[in-house]
Amino acid sequence: SLENIYKQFLNKSGGKTGRLAGPNVGFPPEYDPDHEIVKSITELDSGESIIETEWRHPVMKDFVQQQRYSLVKKGEGWRISKKERFSASLKKWNNMVF
């Protein structure tokens, strides 16, 4: 189930506004190396890691988004704590819903 996937890979459950709260339409959130390229990985002193990527729309090839994932170490593995998308018009990072 989606709830079990959240428990295994996300630091939080999906919250009140995530996919668990209701249907969500769009492209699947999974990593696709043909459309999302890792640009940098930064390890912070806090133990958190930030992965920045460039995502290219699978149909509209000129549409590119800068994205970043915040990961935290939990036990022997890593969990995603946040996903953000850069807004060029606002010149800031905005949270994305899982």
Side-chain angles (χ1 to χ4, degrees):
S1 76
L2 188 56
E3 186 174 358
N4 290 333
I5 293 169
Y6 274 44
K7 285 179 184 176
Q8 184 176 354
F9 296 106
L10 299 182
N11 196 38
K12 297 178 185 172
S13 68
K16 296 177 182 176
T17 59
R19 287 180 187 262
L20 294 179
N24 190 328
V25 178
F27 287 96
E30 65 267 2
Y31 173 71
D32 180 349
D34 291 333
H35 297 107
E36 191 169 3
I37 299 167
V38 174
K39 295 302 221 172
S40 69
I41 300 173
T42 306
E43 295 180 23
L44 306 177
D45 291 336
S46 65
E48 185 178 32
S49 288
I50 308 294
I51 300 172
E52 291 196 31
T53 68
E54 181 179 274
W55 178 79
R56 188 169 302 276
H57 194 284
V59 178
M60 298 181 296
K61 301 298 183 190
D62 292 337
F63 184 77
V64 176
Q65 281 282 313
Q66 303 304 314
Q67 300 184 149
R68 70 180 176 191
Y69 301 83
S70 299
L71 287 83
V72 293
K73 185 89 167 167
K74 192 161 188 178
E76 294 296 314
W78 289 89
R79 302 259 177 103
I80 300 171
S81 62
K82 183 170 39 170
K83 181 178 180 182
E84 299 168 288
R85 177 182 297 150
F86 187 75
S87 169
S89 62
L90 299 174
K91 297 187 180 7
K92 70 175 194 168
W93 291 96
N94 295 308
N95 288 335
M96 295 179 68
V97 174
F98 282 107

